[in-house]
């Protein structure tokens, strides 16, 4: 049995200020945020569903039994920079508040993808799920969960890519199978464990994995409104005029021959570049922003090849 | 010799309530269910066939000898979500009742597909079949079988894919061969052992495997009638109007540019999503279902590449 | 040196009732059967050829020396289900009677195709031929052979596939070479050892192997006459009308868009399916057979890719 | 844990005369040089940014928090001979003067790309980043950095090439992932560590790596002005006439069917070849240069294949 | 250092009756036979060349020095069954008579192509050439060679295939290189060692190997005259009429849609098949031969893929 | 650290008669020969350059500093048989005379390309360069070099092929990188070490290697004049008429559908074949040469595939 340190990055207890800040910065994803909260809430305390059925449908409903077969698996699909990884690692902050329970964030380590021997990937993934099962069980109690566990698998396509691709190695295929077995072991176990796969190549995820997903959320680059909101937030304090912000929103949108800016194109490149233009001799001006927005190219779209 | 734990997932004694429920939910597969029962019954007690021949054909018939050369192998082929795995793991429930015998469900473990060394796959598959042979023998008695064993090989294509594919590794080919040898060792042994291969890539199964199959059952996504039946069952208690159910049956059927819903699209996605829409503040409404059926996309078809 | 158990499946002494029954069921292959008997007879006792030459050609003929350079190698080529493996494993039954000698059937084990290390395949094949050489020598005596050995290599293409295919691994190529060396070691050794390669991909067998074959027999799916004969035999006792049998012969033949039934399609699928239709409540009827023959699809042809 | 010697070439303390000379020879890259200096300055002492904000924007600005999420990663992309590696290894010279701090140049060793076992690459890259983290921490103090560390990864495409390329080995993919993890561990750590990737195949760098880059600088072959400047410098002392230099600038520029000379085509081939023509019997003449500039072909462009 | 038994099949001292018979049966190859005899004679005693030069050219000629740089390497190229391997293994018989010296036939063993570890092939080939060097030296004396060594590499393409083929493994390439080094070590060493490469894929032999060949002989399937000669020899004693033989010569020649018979098609298939037709009841008739010549298909040509 | 014997073939001290003879036979390469002599002379004693600058340019020139950055690497590119390897291994003969210093010829051994384990290639190449560095240092003295070292890497493409080729193994790529590192370690070290890469696939050499080359020399098959010179030399003593030689020069030149003869086609095939025609019974005649020149095909051109 591999130790927890070999399987996961250091576990993080949520809420935690940095991640909460990121969560707050992810504007325009309210529907996804709501659904995640509800899903996790039911895993944390399945009795909530029964109470709801009793209250609103007058007792037992058949749908309740369906919940016993569902896998606590969510797929976050979308282009690089669309915020999917940021949300996966931060939605537990709000969840913790809502449930008034600690939420533990587990991030699958690279080593879990095998560190040498063929066949290792299979057993490491197996160990990772066994671990989640164990901690999930320990966190369960007669009065509902005592904590919620979130397992995030970033760049998940490397792990679970489709067996359709003929050139996949036997070993990779075994990794997909191990993942399927791990998810199946959680399905119906009703433990407070949520698994989130992030991928920018959703078409490469094995259909058998996709079929098990309780829900798939698709993330896109921020639209005008989202970019406006992010920009306003990021430029706070620089005394940039509203019409300049609107101009930049426009300049950073998609055009015929290139995509729009990603969240990180705005927060990690455009605004810092404006700062560097001015630093250390003068303040950032409206012209700096417009000039840079005209000059900087957005991160290219990750082309899915099949 | 590898231990049983390395070869199979924990063995499950059937009947068992969860699987029986799944079996019952698989509507519209009556012919397949009947045939499986008969096949297994004869393997459990070959004397039944002789009695039948005596009764209905007045004694010995040549066909009886043909049964001695048949392999107890069934191929369940079909798209993801068509219910083939669910049936493979649950038909033993009814069989147990019908024969009044315990039925043991063996599921081939991933590790059997090799865990590192080239060549291991061959010997693990060999061990798995040797194991089934042994337990089958132990379960046989002068008065017929004392139990029936079902070996399910899910995602079987990974194990037995066609040698036609030139890029297959030597090792994979050896796996196919080991499987053929295992099946041949059961053929004619007249042991109460049934082997079921599930695959969503039947075209990728080696012809030599297909030829040995006593029967191949093809599973499809549920048709209108099946969807209606599943929906009715799943919505029980929610007070949904019959015309709404009919509307949803229609919306979830195949259209020109996408396939119809799978069984699990209905039970694990559509109905739970409706619940989440309503939960925790209000009851599920007819509108929830219609809106979601219009919104949710069915699981994509697994494209067979050759 | 690898032990016999690692190289071959349990050796079977022929004649043996099950295999004799299969041999008898292989109708329409009389020419092939005759040739095999003669070839084996000469290997068993080369003096027969000299006697014949003396009797019919008045003494020594140059052709006698040619026999000293021939390899005792036969290639059985044909589609799945054409009876080639069945014949390979059963023709020794008749041979044993004809020669009044025991015939031992050796079947090359899967493990001989290597069980892990690159390079093992080469040495295992070498060991297998060394073994055949030894037992062949032991079975030879001044008065002719004391027994005949038949070595069957089923699915031989995996072992001896053409070096033309550029993507073949070096290791596979070495396997071909080891096989060539083994055959060459038997050629001219005049031991009572016959080697039979069965393959459904004759085009994939290395030309250097093909060139060494004393004869290549091509097997086809049964023609009308053969299907009639097999059906009549298999339906014996079921009181099926002759015109029904003729109808079924017609239905199971090849059509424009699919091939005809294989031997096993008839004996392992069509007739058993008819039995299952009737069992346990009623006798098999003529309609059962006709309906099933219209419904069941024959095993697809194994497409050779090159 | 791997030792520093296994991970990096001998660490070089900058400024150092040879590298400073190279830095000075890289004419026409002033904008890039300025930006690098500013970026490194802020990593060395983050308080400078706060002072600037206070002075020019009257206090706290939101942008300051964005700097906490940026990765100290720069991508130098460009054709062979465009000066990118030379700049990466020499810009620390000027930085050291500007900051009045020692700058340490770390160059990732080849061995870090794995020396045998699959999986090693992952752990070696991990170790390299852990090492940079440690030295970065040691160099940090309450009053700002005590030194700056520059990690140069030359030929970075081998390490971080895009997962889009389907034929990439699992192992290479794991290398990309390890690199991403390493960069993420530095992002926000605010240590005086700068990572520079040099590549002539920027299109082959994984988008997830590109997205993390604080800035990407594109290098081109020298233009007329740059070639003139380099030539003048290199020919100093040979008494070549200005119009000859201008003629050579023209001859070494790009034409329709070939690219222009690289920096090294001029300094390592053209001028030395002129010397060899003359040596040992006579001085270099204007004709030597013109003749050679007409004769020598520039280094071909590295064609990116995807 | 590997032992001789690991490198070569048992060494055969020539002349030896079976091989001499084969040599005699190879009709129509007189020019090749003559050249081989002369080449080997000079290697056995280089003084012969000087005597000849003295006698016919009046003393020293520059060409003599060229012989010191030649590699004793001959390539036998041709289709399967064209007699190239037979000649390679038998021309030493006549050579032994002509030189009145023993000739030793070495045949490179399969194992020399590596038996597991990558890199082994290189060292085994190296050992094989070192061995030939040693025995060649031992066989050399002041009065000329005391014996001649012939090293035959059959199916040489597997060993020395062209580095042009991009998919060749590094290991195979190293094998080519080791072979080149081995040949170079013999070139100019003036030892009584002759190396013969047989291949049916001459286009796949590395150009660097081809360039070192002292001569390349191309073998074809037998023409009319050769077939007539072989047939007459093989049918001796069967009282076949001359016009029947001529008819069979015609029938076994190439036609538009198939090649002609190989030597072995005639001696190992056609004539034995005729014997089997008659045996044991009657003599072979002219009709047997004609019928079989019409029926039997020649060995297919080995298609070179590049 | 690997021993010298594992890295290089036996080191040869030049001048040495056989190689000098080859050098002399390489007619028409005077320009290349001159340049090589000058380059090596400067490496042997860098003070010569300063003296020259002082004498002809009146003191220090900037170009002198450029020489400190150059790699002592030469690429010999050309078709098989164009004399590139012969020159690489023999130009040290003349150099030794010119410098009046011993010249040591190091030839990289095959084993250096790795003998089994992935990763070994990298370290062996590293060791080889470390070795050259050490001997170069030992040979350096205050008064200039005490000897010159030439390292020849034949068939260099196998070692340094372009990373552009996507199918290159990671291991091969590491070999390229190790080579680059080795060359960089010599650049500027001003040791009396010259590295020569020979390749017939110059397009396959990595651009980063090509860029480091101080010069690339392209070798072609001999032109009319060169063939005439070689032939005259090789036929000396055979009393061949001048017009016959001219006729043969013409016949051995390139035509529309085949290339011309290589150096070795003339010296190792044409002339020896003429000798064999005559030997042992008669002198070589003019007709022998003309007939053979019409008959023999030149070595095919090595086709570069990319």
């Amino acid at each position: 049995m591999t130790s927890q340190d070999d399987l996961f990055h250091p576990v993080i207890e949520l809420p935690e200020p940095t991640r909460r800040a990121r969560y707050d910065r992810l504007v325009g994803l309210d529907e996804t945020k709501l659904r995640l909260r509800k899903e996790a809430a039911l895993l944390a305390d399945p009795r909530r569903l029964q109470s709801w059925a009793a209250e609103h449908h007058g007792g037992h409903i058949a749908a309740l039994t369906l919940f016993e077969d569902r896998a606590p698996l969510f797929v976050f699909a979308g282009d690089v920079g669309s915020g999917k990884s940021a949300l996966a690692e931060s939605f537990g902050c709000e969840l913790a508040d809502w449930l008034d329970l600690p939420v533990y964030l587990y991030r699958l380590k690279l080593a879990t993808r095998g560190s040498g021997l063929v066949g290792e990937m299979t057993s490491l993934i197996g160990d990772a799920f066994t671990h989640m099962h164990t901690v999930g069980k320990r966190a369960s109690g007669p009065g509902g969960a005592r904590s919620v566990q979130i397992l995030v698998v970033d760049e998940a396509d490397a792990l679970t890519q489709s067996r359709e691709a003929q050139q996949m190695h036997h070993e990779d295929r075994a990794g997909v199978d191990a993942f399927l077995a791990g998810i199946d072991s959680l399905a119906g176990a009703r433990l407070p464990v949520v698994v989130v796969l992030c991928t920018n190549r959703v078409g490469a995820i094995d259909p058998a994995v996709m079929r098990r997903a309780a829900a798939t959320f698709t993330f896109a680059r921020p639209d005008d409104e989202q970019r406006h909101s992010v920009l306003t937030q990021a430029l706070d304090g620089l005394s940039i005029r509203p019409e300049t912000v609107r101009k930049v929103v426009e300049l950073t949108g998609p055009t015929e021959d290139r995509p729009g800016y990603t969240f990180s194109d705005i927060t990690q490149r455009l605004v810092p570049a404006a700062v560097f233009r001015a630093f250390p001799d003068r303040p950032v001006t409206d012209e700096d922003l417009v000039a840079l927005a005209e000059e900087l190219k957005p991160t290219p779209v990750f082309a899915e090849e099949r």
Side-chain angles (χ1 to χ4, degrees), chain A:
Chain A
M1 185 74 192
T2 329
S3 83
Q4 174 176 317
D5 283 3
D6 293 335
L7 298 169
F8 309 107
H9 289 285
V11 177
I12 292 165
E13 180 173 348
L14 304 177
E16 178 262 348
T18 315
R19 284 186 169 75
R20 171 174 298 279
R22 281 192 202 154
Y23 185 81
D24 292 340
R25 228 168 355 197
L26 289 165
V27 294
L29 298 173
D30 295 340
E31 203 172 332
T32 302
K33 288 174 170 180
L34 180 62
R35 174 71 180 271
L36 284 169
R37 192 168 56 204
K38 288 184 182 179
E39 290 269 5
L42 288 199
L43 285 168
D45 187 357
R47 293 170 310 177
R48 288 168 191 249
L49 193 60
Q50 279 147 13
S51 313
W52 166 80
E55 182 181 346
H56 293 285
H57 287 286
H60 181 81
I61 58 172
L64 290 185
T65 70
L66 297 179
F67 276 81
E68 287 167 25
D69 258 0
R70 289 178 86 226
L73 172 68
F74 302 92
V75 174
F76 284 19
D79 196 8
V80 282
S82 57
K84 58 184 188 311
S85 305
L87 183 60
E89 297 199 1
S90 68
F91 79 89
C93 293
E94 203 218 24
L95 186 65
D97 291 351
W98 203 67
L99 296 175
D100 198 18
L101 285 177
V103 170
Y104 294 100
L105 174 64
Y106 287 78
R107 292 163 299 157
L108 198 65
K109 242 194 180 174
L110 294 171
T112 311
R113 295 176 194 182
S115 69
L117 291 170
V118 179
E120 236 183 291
M121 179 154 76
T122 304
S123 80
L124 285 170
I125 294 174
D127 286 353
F129 274 98
T130 303
H131 192 89
M132 295 315 295
H133 210 278
T134 306
V135 298
K137 209 146 207 175
R138 212 183 296 135
S140 302
R146 280 184 293 260
S147 68
V148 173
Q149 278 62 232
I150 299 174
L151 171 61
V152 174
V153 183
D154 212 348
E155 322 277 3
D157 45 285
L159 203 62
T160 61
Q161 72 185 331
S162 174
R163 288 158 304 149
E164 290 184 36
Q166 293 229 350
Q167 61 273 63
M168 212 205 309
H169 288 190
H170 181 73
E171 168 65 359
D172 290 332
R173 222 155 37 205
V176 173
D177 288 338
F179 190 89
L180 292 177
I183 279 297
D184 286 349
S185 77
L186 288 178
R190 305 185 68 99
L191 302 173
V193 174
V194 176
V195 181
V196 180
L197 296 190
C198 299
T199 180
N200 44 24
R201 294 174 61 207
V202 70
I205 301 285
D206 195 287
V209 173
M210 293 305 288
R211 175 171 65 87
R212 277 160 173 86
T216 296
F217 301 107
T218 304
F219 292 70
R221 300 199 172 204
D223 60 19
D224 284 9
E225 200 178 336
Q226 288 172 308
R227 287 199 310 282
H228 189 274
S229 168
V230 169
L231 268 168
T232 307
Q233 214 176 315
L235 298 172
D236 183 54
L238 295 178
S239 313
I240 303 298
R241 287 192 303 275
E243 56 269 32
T244 301
V245 175
R246 278 197 300 275
K247 175 77 183 161
V248 172
V249 164
E250 195 185 309
L251 287 168
T252 55
T255 65
E256 260 182 33
D257 51 356
R258 45 139 258 215
Y261 275 42
T262 65
F263 279 111
S264 49
D265 285 338
I266 294 169
T267 58
Q268 292 183 12
R269 304 189 136 175
L270 179 66
V271 178
V275 169
F276 277 117
R277 275 207 157 197
F279 174 87
D281 308 319
R282 59 170 180 80
V284 173
T285 64
D286 293 62
E287 289 67 40
D288 285 330
L289 279 166
V290 172
L292 283 165
E294 277 166 342
E295 191 184 313
L296 281 178
K297 287 184 203 145
T299 301
V301 169
F302 191 93
E304 275 204 37
E305 306 177 40
R306 298 198 47 179

